[in-house]
Structure formats: structure tokens, C-alpha cells
Amino acid sequence: MRAAAAGLLCLAIPAGGAFAADDEEDGPTRPTGPNIYLDLRTIYATIPAGTLALGFGNSSLSAAFEALVARRGTTLPNGLPAAKSMAIDLPLTVDVSDRVSLYGGVSGTTTDIGAGWSSFEITSWNIGVQADLYQQNGGKIPTITLQSTLTQSVPNEQGMTNSFNNIVEFGYALDEDETRGWLAGLQYTTTTIASPFAAIRPNTILYAGGYYQWPSNWKFTGRLGMQSFGGAQLAGRTLAKSFTQPILRLDLDRMDDNDNRLFGITAQIAWMPKPSYQVTLRTPLYAVRN
């Protein structure tokens, strides 16, 4: 974790320096301080029998459920049951500039696998970075965004999981104010389990979509893609089969005049191959907002 934090700090320092240099040349035309906030996310998901908590960026749910499966796998002779899960993510987020955001925090989860809801517990921590590697700024080349998140389940014991989630997204704006445009991207997730008897194969999502922001600062984003999962095994038997199926994500966000999110709701349907439903509420709590 120290190595990851040091890497994020190295990213932050040059980004901030470049931002300050721009201000010196062009004058104080925009805020120089970073946004600092808890990006509070409340997630409810249904998970069909025979699969894991997969989809767009739901690493906290996935880590909690995968660790639970690894610990209880020997007591599930009929395979994975259908499940319901609720999670609260609390990443402390710092928007270092309009190009780079750093975040890290903890997630708590409660799960029902047919015997009632478990007690709500802290089940994982995460650390990550989101950066615009290139910004379109009215040109012909789309904005290229990279987001990388490392998530580890807790407690640190037999069956704990580590997942590394990477998203590369291309955004092509159709107007100067970037209120409408097209999206395309790739998400790739790898997971390791602290058990010699269990393995989870990589999960890949290839998608395309678009966005539109109204003058009232409500923003709608849609993504449609294909998700391919390699399956999961425990003690020589298949817990989750491999599949390649469609996935759909819809986002509705309320932004302010500086494109800071004030509120958001996300709905996701992923076929695995039976449909899995997920709803996420985003209510960021700002300490500093520019």
C-alpha cells in the first residue's frame, strides 16, 4: 500500500505544478485549490446464482462477495446461491487538477445469500487514481482517461482477495463546451485469492456510449457493452462459469457550473447470463469545492 501511495503522490506533484504554471502565465482565471470530498456511494445489487458480483467498477461488492465465497466455499455443495448485497463506499477524493484525481478509503457491506442479511462490516479498502492522459480541448483527438483502482478485502486472512481494476476510456466531444459527445472504453479486472485452492479468472468489458448535458446542468450518460468473464474455481470444482454477455449502464448526474458532481444515480443491468441489477446513489460530501 505504501508503494501505491508513493506512486500516486508522484502523479499529483507534477500535475499540480503544471496547473500553477498555467495560472502564472494566464492570470487567475480559474480556481487553483483542489476539490476535497468524500465520494459517498450507496450500492444495492442482486447477484444471480452461480456467478460473482461483476460489472462496471463495483470492486467493493466484488471483493466482499469473492472473499465470502472463498471462506464458505466448502459449505456450498450446490454452488453459489443467488444473493443480494448492499455496500457503502467512502473514498476520500482529491481532485488535484482538472486532469488528475486521487482517492482512497474503505467500504462496508452486508450480504444475504439466503439465510438473512449478515451484519454490516468494513469489508475492503481501496486506493486509486483517475487521470486524463490527453484532453481534446476542441481538437480532433478524443480525451483519453485512465482509471486504476486497487481493492483488498479485509480482514487479512485465508480467502482474502486483491483486485486490480483498470479502465481506459475515450471521450469525443461534439461541441466546444463538451456538453454532448461519444464514449468508448475498456475495463479489465484481475483478482487474486489468498488460497491455493481457489482462482478467479479476469473480467473484461468492452463498451461504447455517449453523454448529453442540459443547460440546467443535469447530465445523462449511457454505456452499452459486452462483458466477458473467465470463471471461478474452488477446490477443483467450478463455482462460477465463464460467459460473454451484454451489459448496460445508465447514469444521471446533477452537476454545478464547474462540472462538480452534486448528486448522481446509476442503474446497471448485466447478463451473467441471467440478469443482475445494480443501483448506485452518489452523494459527495465536499470539504472544499471550487
Side-chain angles (χ1 to χ4, degrees):
M1 181 174 177
R2 292 179 178 176
L8 296 181
L9 183 60
C10 290
L11 278 172
I13 292 174
F19 190 60
D22 289 344
D23 283 348
E24 290 175 1
E25 295 177 4
D26 302 334
T29 59
R30 55 182 177 179
T32 59
N35 290 331
I36 303 174
Y37 55 99
L38 280 174
D39 192 11
L40 173 63
R41 299 191 290 266
T42 305
I43 308 165
Y44 173 79
T46 64
I47 306 167
T51 191
L52 301 174
L54 304 169
F56 281 108
N58 56 353
S59 55
S60 61
L61 277 177
S62 182
F65 193 62
E66 288 160 0
L68 176 66
V69 167
R71 289 194 294 267
R72 298 191 55 179
T74 56
T75 66
L76 299 172
N78 298 321
L80 297 179
K84 296 177 287 186
S85 187
M86 290 195 67
I88 294 179
D89 290 347
L90 283 171
L92 178 63
T93 305
V94 180
D95 294 337
V96 179
S97 69
D98 63 344
R99 298 177 68 106
V100 178
S101 295
L102 310 177
Y103 54 89
V106 297
S107 301
T109 310
T110 175
T111 304
D112 179 5
I113 58 173
W117 290 94
S118 64
S119 58
F120 184 85
E121 297 178 345
I122 300 299
T123 50
S124 66
W125 60 262
N126 64 77
I127 187 170
V129 58
Q130 178 172 313
D132 288 346
L133 305 180
Y134 179 85
Q135 290 185 330
Q136 181 179 353
N137 290 331
K140 298 298 183 181
I141 301 175
T143 296
I144 304 173
T145 302
L146 171 67
Q147 182 178 7
S148 295
T149 307
L150 172 66
T151 303
Q152 179 177 298
S153 66
V154 295
N156 191 347
E157 60 182 21
Q158 184 77 5
M160 63 166 278
T161 65
N162 284 289
S163 60
F164 192 40
N165 187 63
N166 293 284
I167 303 172
V168 178
E169 185 170 88
F170 300 84
Y172 186 81
L174 298 174
D175 61 351
E176 184 177 352
D177 293 333
E178 299 186 355
T179 60
R180 54 191 178 92
W182 301 110
L183 299 172
L186 171 71
Q187 174 179 302
Y188 184 75
T189 307
T190 57
T191 302
T192 59
I193 301 181
S195 170
F197 308 108
I200 297 178
R201 305 303 179 193
N203 186 55
T204 305
I205 300 176
L206 184 65
Y207 65 91
Y211 62 89
Y212 183 86
Q213 184 168 334
W214 286 269
S216 60
N217 284 334
W218 283 98
K219 182 178 182 179
F220 174 78
T221 307
R223 296 174 176 89
L224 175 64
M226 294 295 292
Q227 178 173 221
S228 181
F229 174 54
Q233 292 77 38
L234 178 64
R237 61 192 180 97
T238 299
L239 279 181
K241 295 181 179 180
S242 61
F243 65 83
T244 299
Q245 295 287 338
I247 183 170
L248 173 67
R249 170 174 163 171
L250 304 174
D251 296 86
L252 182 63
D253 296 296
R254 172 66 171 174
M255 317 297 285
D256 67 9
D257 290 337
N258 292 320
D259 276 343
N260 300 309
R261 180 183 289 104
L262 303 178
F263 169 80
I265 183 169
T266 298
Q268 174 183 280
I269 305 175
W271 287 263
M272 300 191 289
K274 293 183 178 180
S276 169
Y277 304 97
Q278 179 176 307
V279 177
T280 303
L281 295 178
R282 299 185 68 169
T283 48
L285 307 174
Y286 286 90
V288 177
R289 176 162 64 95
N290 293 304

